Amino acid sequence: MNNTASLQAIIRSMIEDAPPGSAAPIQKDIKTILNNEDSRKVIAEDLKQYHLNKNYKLVKLTDKDFGIISKYNKSGLKYYDPLLRLKFDYDFDQLKVIDIEEGGVQENTEIDALNERICDYALQHFPTFYKGMAMQDEQDPNTVYVLIVDENLNDANFYNGRWQSFYKLDKCKGELTGEITVKVHYYEDGNVALNTGKRIHETNISVDNVVETIATLEDKFEVALLKNFVSLNEDQFKNLRRQLPINRSKVQWGKSIRTYKLGQDAAEGKK
């Protein structure tokens, strides 16, 4: 691997490992490390590919509405929102939405009805900054994608979290595949990170029952995640804690060290 390829691999790794809500400081740090004009283009392109293909980006489109950046709602040079009927672009160097235009989004009765149900579901279950939407594949009308992204960025209380759901529905086969991923970062007096997820594969699914199926799958995933938290806190973390009692008194090393075998051996010159 040459130096350029190695450097790009390091940049991609830093972007992918970054906790939720840290895109701007990570971008700034990488620019400082590289310290050259080409670094802006390299970082912007890596960010773009990351958000198109893996970590779908939640962006603000209006005062109260969010959109998603992914390869599934990219049409030509722009991204589109099937709910808001908007098209927009995104500057991955300045990290901001640009060139928003109304209209130009094709209507689809089936997908529009599905989007209404997804919107109702997301409103009930994702209370912070969220977006849920469905899109039909441009090349295959029998393939439908569903994306749900929710972020809770709370730097004031030292934690950030992100939920992402991706589903692909094959209407001909009645097959639903996809993945749920969760990232949480807590950083008061330390750093604790959680990266977890679950792959999805369900059969006998249609457009009519896909939202109910998604609700059931995500409920089960959340319950299992909470159970694992309890187990981790009550069992695993407890085993890592100090086993000896803390009496908050100073140890008188001069008087007590000779009472230990190590102290006796040291005093007698033993190895």
Side-chain angles (χ1 to χ4, degrees):
M1 183 181 292
N2 58 40
N3 289 338
T4 302
S6 177
L7 181 60
Q8 288 180 326
I10 293 171
I11 293 172
R12 285 194 295 270
S13 177
M14 291 177 68
I15 291 172
E16 292 183 9
D17 292 340
S22 60
I26 285 292
Q27 182 192 55
K28 181 180 178 181
D29 290 345
I30 296 174
K31 286 179 181 178
T32 302
I33 293 170
L34 297 181
N35 193 28
N36 61 64
E37 289 298 322
D38 292 335
S39 65
R40 298 181 64 175
K41 295 181 180 179
V42 173
I43 298 167
E45 182 59 29
D46 283 341
L47 277 172
K48 180 179 180 180
Q49 294 305 317
Y50 178 54
H51 291 307
L52 282 177
N53 297 288
K54 190 171 183 179
N55 192 92
Y56 311 128
K57 187 170 183 61
L58 196 66
V59 296
K60 196 75 174 291
L61 295 181
T62 70
D63 290 340
K64 61 179 181 178
D65 295 306
F66 288 86
I68 295 176
I69 290 177
S70 78
K71 63 182 179 181
Y72 301 105
N73 63 314
K74 191 173 190 295
S75 181
L77 299 176
K78 287 192 170 185
Y79 310 93
Y80 67 91
D81 190 295
L83 287 159
L84 303 174
R85 300 279 192 256
L86 295 177
K87 281 191 171 183
F88 60 96
D89 201 356
Y90 190 80
D91 186 332
F92 285 94
D93 180 37
Q94 299 297 321
L95 301 179
K96 64 179 182 180
V97 173
I98 58 175
D99 197 15
I100 299 177
E101 60 176 295
E102 296 182 358
V105 180
Q106 186 176 1
E107 294 187 19
N108 182 310
T109 303
E110 183 180 57
I111 299 300
D112 289 345
L114 176 58
N115 266 313
E116 288 183 8
R117 301 203 305 275
I118 291 172
C119 187
D120 290 340
Y121 166 71
L123 179 63
Q124 295 175 33
H125 296 276
F126 298 95
T128 53
F129 304 110
Y130 66 89
K131 180 73 174 189
M133 64 184 189
M135 297 79 58
Q136 182 176 274
D137 189 286
E138 290 187 343
Q139 306 300 322
D140 181 9
N142 289 311
T143 298
V144 176
Y145 304 107
V146 176
L147 302 181
I148 301 173
V149 178
D150 178 46
E151 292 182 345
N152 188 353
L153 307 180
N154 197 327
D155 289 314
N157 291 306
F158 307 101
Y159 71 82
N160 291 319
R162 187 176 190 279
W163 174 294
Q164 176 176 297
S165 305
F166 164 73
Y167 302 97
K168 177 183 177 181
L169 173 63
D170 187 323
K171 294 193 293 183
C172 290
K173 296 180 180 178
E175 186 177 59
L176 183 71
T177 56
E179 185 175 18
I180 305 169
T181 57
V182 172
K183 281 187 173 183
V184 178
H185 182 217
Y186 181 75
Y187 51 97
E188 184 177 18
D189 296 329
N191 276 287
V192 178
L194 169 71
N195 295 328
T196 188
K198 178 180 177 61
R199 292 193 176 275
I200 302 299
H201 186 190
E202 298 288 321
T203 56
N204 299 318
I205 309 301
S206 67
V207 173
D208 293 332
N209 67 2
V210 67
V211 176
E212 291 76 12
T213 302
I214 288 173
T216 300
L217 290 169
E218 295 188 346
D219 281 346
K220 288 181 178 179
F221 174 74
E222 184 178 8
V223 170
L225 192 60
L226 292 173
K227 286 182 178 179
N228 286 335
F229 270 129
V230 172
S231 174
L232 190 65
N233 186 53
E234 294 298 322
D235 298 327
Q236 305 301 323
F237 280 167
K238 189 172 291 186
N239 291 335
L240 293 174
R241 293 173 187 155
R242 178 192 294 269
Q243 298 298 312
L244 296 176
I246 300 176
N247 56 21
R248 298 185 180 276
S249 62
K250 293 183 178 180
V251 176
Q252 302 297 322
W253 291 108
K255 296 180 180 179
S256 61
I257 193 168
R258 292 185 63 87
T259 64
Y260 298 103
K261 188 67 167 62
L262 178 62
Q264 294 173 3
D265 290 346
E268 295 170 5
K270 295 181 180 180
K271 296 182 179 180

